[in-house]
Each structure stands twice: as structure tokens, then as C-alpha cells.
Amino acid sequence: MINSKKSSLMEANAALISIHPGYVEKIVSGEKRLEFRRGWAAIPVDLLVIYATSPVQQIVALVEVGQTIRASKTKLWELARDHGGGISRRKLFAYLEGKQEGIALELTRRLKFSEGVDPRSLFGQEFVPPQSFRYLKKNELKILSKQIKGEIWE
């Protein structure tokens, strides 16, 4: 079961996001329980498909999204400090520079792939990592679901 919103991977609204490897490690370890964004999806997202940027350049994990919180930098920092943001105040404020508000995605259950998935196997040879995010299509989720057989959610 993906979460209370959707009952299976194929029913999930999924988004592919690019994250630096250091933050990916904090996410899969459970240390980072919030992901911060300058802007976010118009359609609610249930599942993040995490692409670790260079030098990894692989899809390495799936993470369920709980709440999506839009708030001021100060409020987001309070959330980060109290609930495992995995980022310093200085870095968070620098990331949100020029924005009145930002977004925090609550990260719940995680599935780390035992081996990374080459994104070209899902999206074709022309794959370019998204700058922010991109929704996954049902056929892409179907291919991805074959990759997670035997993997364990935490």
C-alpha cells in the first residue's frame, strides 16, 4: 500500500525529483523527513521518485509524501529544526532567497533500491533530469513497479 490516499503504486500521483546525493542519503536514512521546494506541483503528489544527481545519476529511492506545507521561511525553519529538515537555517534561507513562502513536503515511508535504476531504462536515452520535478506517466510507473519487486518499505 502506498499510503492512505492511494492503494497501489499504479494509482499514485508520482513525481520525479532531482536531489543532491548528500540529501538523498539523509532521506533514505530517515534523518531528513522534510523536503523543501521553492515551488511545487498543482496536482497533489503521493509519491516522490528520487533521482540522485551527479555523480550518482540514478533513481535510488521512492518516498511517500504526507502533508504538503506552504509557509514562510521562518515557519519552515521551525519545522526543519523540530521535525528533521536535514538542512541548516543558513542553507534553507539561502535556498528560499527571494521567495515570501516555500514548501515543505513531509516524507513518510521510504524504499531505497538495493541497486540504483538507470533513468534511461524508464524514460529513454534522451532522459534529462528535471530542474524541479516532473509527473510520471502511468506507463512509467508500470515499468518502475517491476524494479521494486522484493524491495522493502521502511
PDB file of all heavy atoms in Angstrom, residues 2-3 9 12-15 17 19 24 27-29 32-35 45-50 60-66 105-113 144 153-154:
ATOM      1  N   ILE A   2       0.590   2.186  -0.861  1.00  0.00           N
ATOM      2  CA  ILE A   2       1.388   3.399  -0.948  1.00  0.00           C
ATOM      3  C   ILE A   2       1.106   4.296   0.241  1.00  0.00           C
ATOM      4  O   ILE A   2       1.987   4.675   0.971  1.00  0.00           O
ATOM      5  CB  ILE A   2       1.137   4.135  -2.280  1.00  0.00           C
ATOM      6  CG1 ILE A   2       1.694   3.316  -3.430  1.00  0.00           C
ATOM      7  CG2 ILE A   2       1.733   5.519  -2.286  1.00  0.00           C
ATOM      8  CD1 ILE A   2       3.175   3.069  -3.369  1.00  0.00           C
ATOM      9  N   ASN A   3      -0.100   4.698   0.466  1.00  0.00           N
ATOM     10  CA  ASN A   3      -0.497   5.434   1.668  1.00  0.00           C
ATOM     11  C   ASN A   3      -2.009   5.474   1.718  1.00  0.00           C
ATOM     12  O   ASN A   3      -2.665   4.829   0.928  1.00  0.00           O
ATOM     13  CB  ASN A   3       0.131   6.843   1.719  1.00  0.00           C
ATOM     14  CG  ASN A   3      -0.289   7.734   0.560  1.00  0.00           C
ATOM     15  OD1 ASN A   3      -1.355   7.567  -0.004  1.00  0.00           O
ATOM     16  ND2 ASN A   3       0.565   8.666   0.211  1.00  0.00           N
ATOM     17  N   LEU A   9       0.994   1.498  -6.181  1.00  0.00           N
ATOM     18  CA  LEU A   9       1.924   2.333  -6.931  1.00  0.00           C
ATOM     19  C   LEU A   9       1.273   2.851  -8.205  1.00  0.00           C
ATOM     20  O   LEU A   9       1.419   4.014  -8.562  1.00  0.00           O
ATOM     21  CB  LEU A   9       3.190   1.530  -7.257  1.00  0.00           C
ATOM     22  CG  LEU A   9       4.272   2.247  -8.050  1.00  0.00           C
ATOM     23  CD1 LEU A   9       4.837   3.393  -7.247  1.00  0.00           C
ATOM     24  CD2 LEU A   9       5.359   1.289  -8.449  1.00  0.00           C
ATOM     25  N   ALA A  12      -0.885   5.929  -7.683  1.00  0.00           N
ATOM     26  CA  ALA A  12      -0.262   7.095  -7.069  1.00  0.00           C
ATOM     27  C   ALA A  12      -0.043   8.218  -8.082  1.00  0.00           C
ATOM     28  O   ALA A  12       0.227   7.967  -9.254  1.00  0.00           O
ATOM     29  CB  ALA A  12       1.079   6.705  -6.455  1.00  0.00           C
ATOM     30  N   ASN A  13      -0.159   9.438  -7.604  1.00  0.00           N
ATOM     31  CA  ASN A  13       0.310  10.598  -8.361  1.00  0.00           C
ATOM     32  C   ASN A  13       1.778  10.728  -7.994  1.00  0.00           C
ATOM     33  O   ASN A  13       2.107  11.058  -6.853  1.00  0.00           O
ATOM     34  CB  ASN A  13      -0.449  11.866  -7.968  1.00  0.00           C
ATOM     35  CG  ASN A  13      -1.874  11.853  -8.450  1.00  0.00           C
ATOM     36  OD1 ASN A  13      -2.193  11.273  -9.479  1.00  0.00           O
ATOM     37  ND2 ASN A  13      -2.749  12.472  -7.695  1.00  0.00           N
ATOM     38  N   ALA A  14       2.645  10.424  -8.942  1.00  0.00           N
ATOM     39  CA  ALA A  14       4.074  10.375  -8.663  1.00  0.00           C
ATOM     40  C   ALA A  14       4.807  11.481  -9.396  1.00  0.00           C
ATOM     41  O   ALA A  14       4.432  11.867 -10.505  1.00  0.00           O
ATOM     42  CB  ALA A  14       4.634   9.015  -9.074  1.00  0.00           C
ATOM     43  N   ALA A  15       5.865  11.968  -8.759  1.00  0.00           N
ATOM     44  CA  ALA A  15       6.717  12.989  -9.362  1.00  0.00           C
ATOM     45  C   ALA A  15       8.175  12.564  -9.232  1.00  0.00           C
ATOM     46  O   ALA A  15       8.604  12.090  -8.180  1.00  0.00           O
ATOM     47  CB  ALA A  15       6.504  14.337  -8.683  1.00  0.00           C
ATOM     48  N   ILE A  17      11.865  13.765  -8.861  1.00  0.00           N
ATOM     49  CA  ILE A  17      12.581  14.958  -8.418  1.00  0.00           C
ATOM     50  C   ILE A  17      14.080  14.657  -8.365  1.00  0.00           C
ATOM     51  O   ILE A  17      14.490  13.531  -8.111  1.00  0.00           O
ATOM     52  CB  ILE A  17      12.086  15.484  -7.051  1.00  0.00           C
ATOM     53  CG1 ILE A  17      12.319  14.484  -5.931  1.00  0.00           C
ATOM     54  CG2 ILE A  17      10.624  15.883  -7.127  1.00  0.00           C
ATOM     55  CD1 ILE A  17      12.058  15.077  -4.555  1.00  0.00           C
ATOM     56  N   ILE A  19      17.616  15.358  -6.552  1.00  0.00           N
ATOM     57  CA  ILE A  19      18.139  15.752  -5.245  1.00  0.00           C
ATOM     58  C   ILE A  19      19.627  15.411  -5.190  1.00  0.00           C
ATOM     59  O   ILE A  19      20.052  14.350  -5.662  1.00  0.00           O
ATOM     60  CB  ILE A  19      17.382  15.033  -4.099  1.00  0.00           C
ATOM     61  CG1 ILE A  19      15.877  15.386  -4.151  1.00  0.00           C
ATOM     62  CG2 ILE A  19      17.969  15.383  -2.741  1.00  0.00           C
ATOM     63  CD1 ILE A  19      15.035  14.696  -3.092  1.00  0.00           C
ATOM     64  N   VAL A  24      19.995  12.961  -0.390  1.00  0.00           N
ATOM     65  CA  VAL A  24      19.356  11.655  -0.627  1.00  0.00           C
ATOM     66  C   VAL A  24      19.711  10.697   0.507  1.00  0.00           C
ATOM     67  O   VAL A  24      18.839  10.007   1.037  1.00  0.00           O
ATOM     68  CB  VAL A  24      19.772  11.061  -1.992  1.00  0.00           C
ATOM     69  CG1 VAL A  24      19.295   9.618  -2.112  1.00  0.00           C
ATOM     70  CG2 VAL A  24      19.227  11.894  -3.139  1.00  0.00           C
ATOM     71  N   ILE A  27      17.698  11.414   3.464  1.00  0.00           N
ATOM     72  CA  ILE A  27      16.306  10.998   3.272  1.00  0.00           C
ATOM     73  C   ILE A  27      16.165   9.500   3.498  1.00  0.00           C
ATOM     74  O   ILE A  27      15.306   9.060   4.265  1.00  0.00           O
ATOM     75  CB  ILE A  27      15.787  11.394   1.873  1.00  0.00           C
ATOM     76  CG1 ILE A  27      15.610  12.911   1.793  1.00  0.00           C
ATOM     77  CG2 ILE A  27      14.472  10.676   1.548  1.00  0.00           C
ATOM     78  CD1 ILE A  27      15.351  13.435   0.383  1.00  0.00           C
ATOM     79  N   VAL A  28      16.986   8.700   2.837  1.00  0.00           N
ATOM     80  CA  VAL A  28      16.819   7.245   2.948  1.00  0.00           C
ATOM     81  C   VAL A  28      17.176   6.723   4.337  1.00  0.00           C
ATOM     82  O   VAL A  28      16.655   5.698   4.762  1.00  0.00           O
ATOM     83  CB  VAL A  28      17.566   6.469   1.835  1.00  0.00           C
ATOM     84  CG1 VAL A  28      17.005   6.813   0.472  1.00  0.00           C
ATOM     85  CG2 VAL A  28      19.056   6.678   1.893  1.00  0.00           C
ATOM     86  N   SER A  29      18.017   7.453   5.067  1.00  0.00           N
ATOM     87  CA  SER A  29      18.345   7.032   6.435  1.00  0.00           C
ATOM     88  C   SER A  29      17.242   7.412   7.423  1.00  0.00           C
ATOM     89  O   SER A  29      17.215   6.928   8.549  1.00  0.00           O
ATOM     90  CB  SER A  29      19.663   7.672   6.890  1.00  0.00           C
ATOM     91  OG  SER A  29      19.480   9.049   7.171  1.00  0.00           O
ATOM     92  N   LYS A  32      16.361  12.990   7.332  1.00  0.00           N
ATOM     93  CA  LYS A  32      15.670  14.111   6.676  1.00  0.00           C
ATOM     94  C   LYS A  32      14.232  13.673   6.410  1.00  0.00           C
ATOM     95  O   LYS A  32      13.990  12.797   5.586  1.00  0.00           O
ATOM     96  CB  LYS A  32      16.392  14.474   5.377  1.00  0.00           C
ATOM     97  CG  LYS A  32      15.805  15.659   4.636  1.00  0.00           C
ATOM     98  CD  LYS A  32      16.742  16.059   3.499  1.00  0.00           C
ATOM     99  CE  LYS A  32      16.179  17.085   2.566  1.00  0.00           C
ATOM    100  NZ  LYS A  32      15.668  18.286   3.180  1.00  0.00           N
ATOM    101  N   ARG A  33      13.302  14.298   7.126  1.00  0.00           N
ATOM    102  CA  ARG A  33      11.897  13.924   6.998  1.00  0.00           C
ATOM    103  C   ARG A  33      11.055  15.003   6.337  1.00  0.00           C
ATOM    104  O   ARG A  33       9.837  14.879   6.231  1.00  0.00           O
ATOM    105  CB  ARG A  33      11.343  13.559   8.374  1.00  0.00           C
ATOM    106  CG  ARG A  33      12.036  12.293   8.936  1.00  0.00           C
ATOM    107  CD  ARG A  33      11.396  11.797  10.203  1.00  0.00           C
ATOM    108  NE  ARG A  33      11.395  12.765  11.265  1.00  0.00           N
ATOM    109  CZ  ARG A  33      12.360  12.923  12.174  1.00  0.00           C
ATOM    110  NH1 ARG A  33      13.420  12.164  12.133  1.00  0.00           N
ATOM    111  NH2 ARG A  33      12.249  13.820  13.130  1.00  0.00           N
ATOM    112  N   LEU A  34      11.731  16.054   5.864  1.00  0.00           N
ATOM    113  CA  LEU A  34      11.072  17.127   5.113  1.00  0.00           C
ATOM    114  C   LEU A  34      11.923  17.450   3.893  1.00  0.00           C
ATOM    115  O   LEU A  34      13.150  17.511   3.987  1.00  0.00           O
ATOM    116  CB  LEU A  34      10.935  18.391   5.969  1.00  0.00           C
ATOM    117  CG  LEU A  34      10.087  18.301   7.229  1.00  0.00           C
ATOM    118  CD1 LEU A  34      10.304  19.531   8.097  1.00  0.00           C
ATOM    119  CD2 LEU A  34       8.614  18.143   6.874  1.00  0.00           C
ATOM    120  N   GLU A  35      11.271  17.645   2.770  1.00  0.00           N
ATOM    121  CA  GLU A  35      11.957  18.094   1.558  1.00  0.00           C
ATOM    122  C   GLU A  35      11.425  19.475   1.233  1.00  0.00           C
ATOM    123  O   GLU A  35      10.212  19.683   1.168  1.00  0.00           O
ATOM    124  CB  GLU A  35      11.696  17.129   0.399  1.00  0.00           C
ATOM    125  CG  GLU A  35      12.214  17.591  -0.945  1.00  0.00           C
ATOM    126  CD  GLU A  35      13.732  17.785  -1.012  1.00  0.00           C
ATOM    127  OE1 GLU A  35      14.472  17.265  -0.151  1.00  0.00           O
ATOM    128  OE2 GLU A  35      14.175  18.487  -1.936  1.00  0.00           O
ATOM    129  N   VAL A  45       0.791  15.323  -4.929  1.00  0.00           N
ATOM    130  CA  VAL A  45       1.728  14.232  -5.208  1.00  0.00           C
ATOM    131  C   VAL A  45       1.755  13.293  -4.012  1.00  0.00           C
ATOM    132  O   VAL A  45       1.915  13.724  -2.873  1.00  0.00           O
ATOM    133  CB  VAL A  45       3.140  14.792  -5.504  1.00  0.00           C
ATOM    134  CG1 VAL A  45       4.167  13.691  -5.599  1.00  0.00           C
ATOM    135  CG2 VAL A  45       3.114  15.630  -6.782  1.00  0.00           C
ATOM    136  N   ASP A  46       1.582  11.995  -4.278  1.00  0.00           N
ATOM    137  CA  ASP A  46       1.591  10.963  -3.243  1.00  0.00           C
ATOM    138  C   ASP A  46       2.973  10.333  -3.074  1.00  0.00           C
ATOM    139  O   ASP A  46       3.291   9.802  -2.018  1.00  0.00           O
ATOM    140  CB  ASP A  46       0.641   9.816  -3.608  1.00  0.00           C
ATOM    141  CG  ASP A  46      -0.753  10.272  -3.938  1.00  0.00           C
ATOM    142  OD1 ASP A  46      -1.337  10.980  -3.111  1.00  0.00           O
ATOM    143  OD2 ASP A  46      -1.247   9.923  -5.023  1.00  0.00           O
ATOM    144  N   LEU A  47       3.742  10.342  -4.158  1.00  0.00           N
ATOM    145  CA  LEU A  47       4.974   9.567  -4.196  1.00  0.00           C
ATOM    146  C   LEU A  47       6.061  10.343  -4.918  1.00  0.00           C
ATOM    147  O   LEU A  47       5.838  10.867  -6.010  1.00  0.00           O
ATOM    148  CB  LEU A  47       4.711   8.246  -4.933  1.00  0.00           C
ATOM    149  CG  LEU A  47       5.863   7.277  -5.061  1.00  0.00           C
ATOM    150  CD1 LEU A  47       6.191   6.654  -3.703  1.00  0.00           C
ATOM    151  CD2 LEU A  47       5.507   6.183  -6.063  1.00  0.00           C
ATOM    152  N   LEU A  48       7.245  10.414  -4.291  1.00  0.00           N
ATOM    153  CA  LEU A  48       8.411  11.003  -4.932  1.00  0.00           C
ATOM    154  C   LEU A  48       9.311   9.885  -5.436  1.00  0.00           C
ATOM    155  O   LEU A  48       9.623   8.944  -4.695  1.00  0.00           O
ATOM    156  CB  LEU A  48       9.199  11.860  -3.944  1.00  0.00           C
ATOM    157  CG  LEU A  48       8.471  13.043  -3.327  1.00  0.00           C
ATOM    158  CD1 LEU A  48       9.379  13.752  -2.326  1.00  0.00           C
ATOM    159  CD2 LEU A  48       7.981  14.002  -4.392  1.00  0.00           C
ATOM    160  N   VAL A  49       9.699   9.995  -6.672  1.00  0.00           N
ATOM    161  CA  VAL A  49      10.695   9.105  -7.261  1.00  0.00           C
ATOM    162  C   VAL A  49      11.978   9.925  -7.256  1.00  0.00           C
ATOM    163  O   VAL A  49      12.055  10.974  -7.899  1.00  0.00           O
ATOM    164  CB  VAL A  49      10.286   8.681  -8.686  1.00  0.00           C
ATOM    165  CG1 VAL A  49      11.357   7.813  -9.321  1.00  0.00           C
ATOM    166  CG2 VAL A  49       8.929   7.957  -8.653  1.00  0.00           C
ATOM    167  N   ILE A  50      12.948   9.467  -6.493  1.00  0.00           N
ATOM    168  CA  ILE A  50      14.131  10.286  -6.240  1.00  0.00           C
ATOM    169  C   ILE A  50      15.289   9.923  -7.159  1.00  0.00           C
ATOM    170  O   ILE A  50      15.783   8.787  -7.143  1.00  0.00           O
ATOM    171  CB  ILE A  50      14.552  10.190  -4.768  1.00  0.00           C
ATOM    172  CG1 ILE A  50      13.394  10.707  -3.908  1.00  0.00           C
ATOM    173  CG2 ILE A  50      15.840  10.968  -4.520  1.00  0.00           C
ATOM    174  CD1 ILE A  50      13.661  10.775  -2.455  1.00  0.00           C
ATOM    175  N   VAL A  60      17.176   6.256  -7.086  1.00  0.00           N
ATOM    176  CA  VAL A  60      17.669   5.484  -5.956  1.00  0.00           C
ATOM    177  C   VAL A  60      16.623   5.167  -4.895  1.00  0.00           C
ATOM    178  O   VAL A  60      16.860   4.330  -4.034  1.00  0.00           O
ATOM    179  CB  VAL A  60      18.871   6.190  -5.285  1.00  0.00           C
ATOM    180  CG1 VAL A  60      20.047   6.286  -6.255  1.00  0.00           C
ATOM    181  CG2 VAL A  60      18.482   7.565  -4.778  1.00  0.00           C
ATOM    182  N   ALA A  61      15.473   5.852  -4.933  1.00  0.00           N
ATOM    183  CA  ALA A  61      14.500   5.634  -3.864  1.00  0.00           C
ATOM    184  C   ALA A  61      13.115   6.108  -4.271  1.00  0.00           C
ATOM    185  O   ALA A  61      12.960   6.915  -5.199  1.00  0.00           O
ATOM    186  CB  ALA A  61      14.943   6.366  -2.593  1.00  0.00           C
ATOM    187  N   LEU A  62      12.136   5.601  -3.532  1.00  0.00           N
ATOM    188  CA  LEU A  62      10.764   6.088  -3.584  1.00  0.00           C
ATOM    189  C   LEU A  62      10.430   6.547  -2.179  1.00  0.00           C
ATOM    190  O   LEU A  62      10.828   5.909  -1.206  1.00  0.00           O
ATOM    191  CB  LEU A  62       9.784   4.973  -3.970  1.00  0.00           C
ATOM    192  CG  LEU A  62      10.022   4.234  -5.270  1.00  0.00           C
ATOM    193  CD1 LEU A  62       8.969   3.146  -5.445  1.00  0.00           C
ATOM    194  CD2 LEU A  62       9.996   5.190  -6.445  1.00  0.00           C
ATOM    195  N   VAL A  63       9.701   7.644  -2.083  1.00  0.00           N
ATOM    196  CA  VAL A  63       9.315   8.160  -0.775  1.00  0.00           C
ATOM    197  C   VAL A  63       7.866   8.632  -0.848  1.00  0.00           C
ATOM    198  O   VAL A  63       7.489   9.365  -1.767  1.00  0.00           O
ATOM    199  CB  VAL A  63      10.215   9.340  -0.333  1.00  0.00           C
ATOM    200  CG1 VAL A  63       9.791   9.867   1.030  1.00  0.00           C
ATOM    201  CG2 VAL A  63      11.677   8.939  -0.320  1.00  0.00           C
ATOM    202  N   GLU A  64       7.079   8.189   0.121  1.00  0.00           N
ATOM    203  CA  GLU A  64       5.698   8.646   0.205  1.00  0.00           C
ATOM    204  C   GLU A  64       5.660  10.068   0.749  1.00  0.00           C
ATOM    205  O   GLU A  64       6.463  10.430   1.612  1.00  0.00           O
ATOM    206  CB  GLU A  64       4.883   7.744   1.116  1.00  0.00           C
ATOM    207  CG  GLU A  64       4.659   6.369   0.542  1.00  0.00           C
ATOM    208  CD  GLU A  64       3.883   5.466   1.465  1.00  0.00           C
ATOM    209  OE1 GLU A  64       3.654   5.828   2.640  1.00  0.00           O
ATOM    210  OE2 GLU A  64       3.509   4.382   1.019  1.00  0.00           O
ATOM    211  N   VAL A  65       4.706  10.841   0.259  1.00  0.00           N
ATOM    212  CA  VAL A  65       4.511  12.218   0.719  1.00  0.00           C
ATOM    213  C   VAL A  65       3.292  12.247   1.619  1.00  0.00           C
ATOM    214  O   VAL A  65       2.216  11.776   1.246  1.00  0.00           O
ATOM    215  CB  VAL A  65       4.302  13.174  -0.481  1.00  0.00           C
ATOM    216  CG1 VAL A  65       4.014  14.594   0.004  1.00  0.00           C
ATOM    217  CG2 VAL A  65       5.514  13.143  -1.399  1.00  0.00           C
ATOM    218  N   GLY A  66       3.477  12.805   2.814  1.00  0.00           N
ATOM    219  CA  GLY A  66       2.359  13.021   3.724  1.00  0.00           C
ATOM    220  C   GLY A  66       1.754  14.377   3.425  1.00  0.00           C
ATOM    221  O   GLY A  66       1.172  14.595   2.367  1.00  0.00           O
ATOM    222  N   LEU A 105       7.620  19.298   2.019  1.00  0.00           N
ATOM    223  CA  LEU A 105       6.941  18.040   1.777  1.00  0.00           C
ATOM    224  C   LEU A 105       7.293  17.102   2.919  1.00  0.00           C
ATOM    225  O   LEU A 105       8.484  16.866   3.187  1.00  0.00           O
ATOM    226  CB  LEU A 105       7.398  17.418   0.452  1.00  0.00           C
ATOM    227  CG  LEU A 105       7.241  18.287  -0.792  1.00  0.00           C
ATOM    228  CD1 LEU A 105       7.899  17.619  -1.987  1.00  0.00           C
ATOM    229  CD2 LEU A 105       5.779  18.572  -1.063  1.00  0.00           C
ATOM    230  N   GLU A 106       6.287  16.595   3.596  1.00  0.00           N
ATOM    231  CA  GLU A 106       6.521  15.637   4.673  1.00  0.00           C
ATOM    232  C   GLU A 106       6.835  14.289   4.040  1.00  0.00           C
ATOM    233  O   GLU A 106       6.059  13.774   3.235  1.00  0.00           O
ATOM    234  CB  GLU A 106       5.283  15.525   5.553  1.00  0.00           C
ATOM    235  CG  GLU A 106       5.445  14.490   6.645  1.00  0.00           C
ATOM    236  CD  GLU A 106       4.143  14.178   7.357  1.00  0.00           C
ATOM    237  OE1 GLU A 106       3.059  14.283   6.738  1.00  0.00           O
ATOM    238  OE2 GLU A 106       4.226  13.818   8.535  1.00  0.00           O
ATOM    239  N   LEU A 107       7.982  13.727   4.384  1.00  0.00           N
ATOM    240  CA  LEU A 107       8.422  12.440   3.851  1.00  0.00           C
ATOM    241  C   LEU A 107       8.075  11.354   4.859  1.00  0.00           C
ATOM    242  O   LEU A 107       8.485  11.437   6.018  1.00  0.00           O
ATOM    243  CB  LEU A 107       9.926  12.474   3.584  1.00  0.00           C
ATOM    244  CG  LEU A 107      10.405  13.656   2.724  1.00  0.00           C
ATOM    245  CD1 LEU A 107      11.921  13.623   2.582  1.00  0.00           C
ATOM    246  CD2 LEU A 107       9.729  13.672   1.367  1.00  0.00           C
ATOM    247  N   THR A 108       7.328  10.363   4.410  1.00  0.00           N
ATOM    248  CA  THR A 108       6.922   9.302   5.330  1.00  0.00           C
ATOM    249  C   THR A 108       7.697   8.025   4.997  1.00  0.00           C
ATOM    250  O   THR A 108       8.912   8.026   5.122  1.00  0.00           O
ATOM    251  CB  THR A 108       5.388   9.122   5.320  1.00  0.00           C
ATOM    252  OG1 THR A 108       4.941   8.794   4.011  1.00  0.00           O
ATOM    253  CG2 THR A 108       4.688  10.392   5.782  1.00  0.00           C
ATOM    254  N   ARG A 109       7.030   7.000   4.541  1.00  0.00           N
ATOM    255  CA  ARG A 109       7.743   5.739   4.263  1.00  0.00           C
ATOM    256  C   ARG A 109       8.709   5.884   3.097  1.00  0.00           C
ATOM    257  O   ARG A 109       8.472   6.633   2.171  1.00  0.00           O
ATOM    258  CB  ARG A 109       6.745   4.625   3.957  1.00  0.00           C
ATOM    259  CG  ARG A 109       5.943   4.223   5.148  1.00  0.00           C
ATOM    260  CD  ARG A 109       5.129   2.950   4.953  1.00  0.00           C
ATOM    261  NE  ARG A 109       4.618   2.781   3.617  1.00  0.00           N
ATOM    262  CZ  ARG A 109       4.479   1.600   3.015  1.00  0.00           C
ATOM    263  NH1 ARG A 109       4.811   0.498   3.635  1.00  0.00           N
ATOM    264  NH2 ARG A 109       3.996   1.510   1.797  1.00  0.00           N
ATOM    265  N   ARG A 110       9.812   5.120   3.190  1.00  0.00           N
ATOM    266  CA  ARG A 110      10.863   5.174   2.193  1.00  0.00           C
ATOM    267  C   ARG A 110      11.181   3.776   1.680  1.00  0.00           C
ATOM    268  O   ARG A 110      11.125   2.809   2.419  1.00  0.00           O
ATOM    269  CB  ARG A 110      12.150   5.751   2.811  1.00  0.00           C
ATOM    270  CG  ARG A 110      11.966   7.091   3.450  1.00  0.00           C
ATOM    271  CD  ARG A 110      13.127   7.482   4.359  1.00  0.00           C
ATOM    272  NE  ARG A 110      13.596   6.492   5.314  1.00  0.00           N
ATOM    273  CZ  ARG A 110      12.998   6.196   6.469  1.00  0.00           C
ATOM    274  NH1 ARG A 110      11.891   6.797   6.813  1.00  0.00           N
ATOM    275  NH2 ARG A 110      13.493   5.309   7.289  1.00  0.00           N
ATOM    276  N   LEU A 111      11.540   3.730   0.413  1.00  0.00           N
ATOM    277  CA  LEU A 111      12.031   2.490  -0.181  1.00  0.00           C
ATOM    278  C   LEU A 111      13.316   2.853  -0.917  1.00  0.00           C
ATOM    279  O   LEU A 111      13.286   3.630  -1.872  1.00  0.00           O
ATOM    280  CB  LEU A 111      11.003   1.914  -1.159  1.00  0.00           C
ATOM    281  CG  LEU A 111      11.367   0.585  -1.809  1.00  0.00           C
ATOM    282  CD1 LEU A 111      10.103  -0.172  -2.163  1.00  0.00           C
ATOM    283  CD2 LEU A 111      12.243   0.747  -3.028  1.00  0.00           C
ATOM    284  N   LYS A 112      14.436   2.327  -0.424  1.00  0.00           N
ATOM    285  CA  LYS A 112      15.718   2.559  -1.098  1.00  0.00           C
ATOM    286  C   LYS A 112      16.000   1.345  -1.958  1.00  0.00           C
ATOM    287  O   LYS A 112      15.949   0.209  -1.473  1.00  0.00           O
ATOM    288  CB  LYS A 112      16.844   2.760  -0.094  1.00  0.00           C
ATOM    289  CG  LYS A 112      18.174   3.006  -0.776  1.00  0.00           C
ATOM    290  CD  LYS A 112      19.314   3.190   0.197  1.00  0.00           C
ATOM    291  CE  LYS A 112      20.583   3.432  -0.580  1.00  0.00           C
ATOM    292  NZ  LYS A 112      21.755   3.456   0.265  1.00  0.00           N
ATOM    293  N   PHE A 113      16.274   1.573  -3.234  1.00  0.00           N
ATOM    294  CA  PHE A 113      16.595   0.463  -4.128  1.00  0.00           C
ATOM    295  C   PHE A 113      17.923  -0.154  -3.732  1.00  0.00           C
ATOM    296  O   PHE A 113      18.873   0.559  -3.398  1.00  0.00           O
ATOM    297  CB  PHE A 113      16.681   0.942  -5.586  1.00  0.00           C
ATOM    298  CG  PHE A 113      15.374   1.404  -6.147  1.00  0.00           C
ATOM    299  CD1 PHE A 113      15.214   2.714  -6.554  1.00  0.00           C
ATOM    300  CD2 PHE A 113      14.299   0.541  -6.273  1.00  0.00           C
ATOM    301  CE1 PHE A 113      14.025   3.158  -7.076  1.00  0.00           C
ATOM    302  CE2 PHE A 113      13.097   0.973  -6.788  1.00  0.00           C
ATOM    303  CZ  PHE A 113      12.952   2.278  -7.192  1.00  0.00           C
ATOM    304  N   LEU A 144       8.497   1.135 -13.549  1.00  0.00           N
ATOM    305  CA  LEU A 144       9.141   1.308 -12.246  1.00  0.00           C
ATOM    306  C   LEU A 144       8.679   0.252 -11.252  1.00  0.00           C
ATOM    307  O   LEU A 144       9.478  -0.257 -10.463  1.00  0.00           O
ATOM    308  CB  LEU A 144       8.866   2.714 -11.709  1.00  0.00           C
ATOM    309  CG  LEU A 144       9.577   3.094 -10.421  1.00  0.00           C
ATOM    310  CD1 LEU A 144      11.088   3.043 -10.590  1.00  0.00           C
ATOM    311  CD2 LEU A 144       9.140   4.467  -9.971  1.00  0.00           C
ATOM    312  N   TRP A 153       9.793  -1.450   2.057  1.00  0.00           N
ATOM    313  CA  TRP A 153       9.492  -0.091   2.520  1.00  0.00           C
ATOM    314  C   TRP A 153       9.870   0.032   3.994  1.00  0.00           C
ATOM    315  O   TRP A 153       9.667  -0.894   4.768  1.00  0.00           O
ATOM    316  CB  TRP A 153       7.992   0.216   2.389  1.00  0.00           C
ATOM    317  CG  TRP A 153       7.550   0.424   0.969  1.00  0.00           C
ATOM    318  CD1 TRP A 153       7.122  -0.531   0.109  1.00  0.00           C
ATOM    319  CD2 TRP A 153       7.497   1.655   0.268  1.00  0.00           C
ATOM    320  NE1 TRP A 153       6.799   0.037  -1.104  1.00  0.00           N
ATOM    321  CE2 TRP A 153       7.027   1.376  -1.026  1.00  0.00           C
ATOM    322  CE3 TRP A 153       7.815   2.963   0.612  1.00  0.00           C
ATOM    323  CZ2 TRP A 153       6.845   2.372  -1.979  1.00  0.00           C
ATOM    324  CZ3 TRP A 153       7.636   3.955  -0.343  1.00  0.00           C
ATOM    325  CH2 TRP A 153       7.161   3.661  -1.619  1.00  0.00           C
ATOM    326  N   GLU A 154      10.405   1.174   4.365  1.00  0.00           N
ATOM    327  CA  GLU A 154      10.742   1.449   5.772  1.00  0.00           C
ATOM    328  C   GLU A 154       9.922   2.616   6.261  1.00  0.00           C
ATOM    329  O   GLU A 154       9.615   3.511   5.547  1.00  0.00           O
ATOM    330  CB  GLU A 154      12.229   1.762   5.919  1.00  0.00           C
ATOM    331  CG  GLU A 154      13.094   0.575   5.547  1.00  0.00           C
ATOM    332  CD  GLU A 154      14.574   0.919   5.645  1.00  0.00           C
ATOM    333  OE1 GLU A 154      14.946   1.955   6.217  1.00  0.00           O
ATOM    334  OE2 GLU A 154      15.360   0.134   5.139  1.00  0.00           O
TER     335      GLU A 154
END
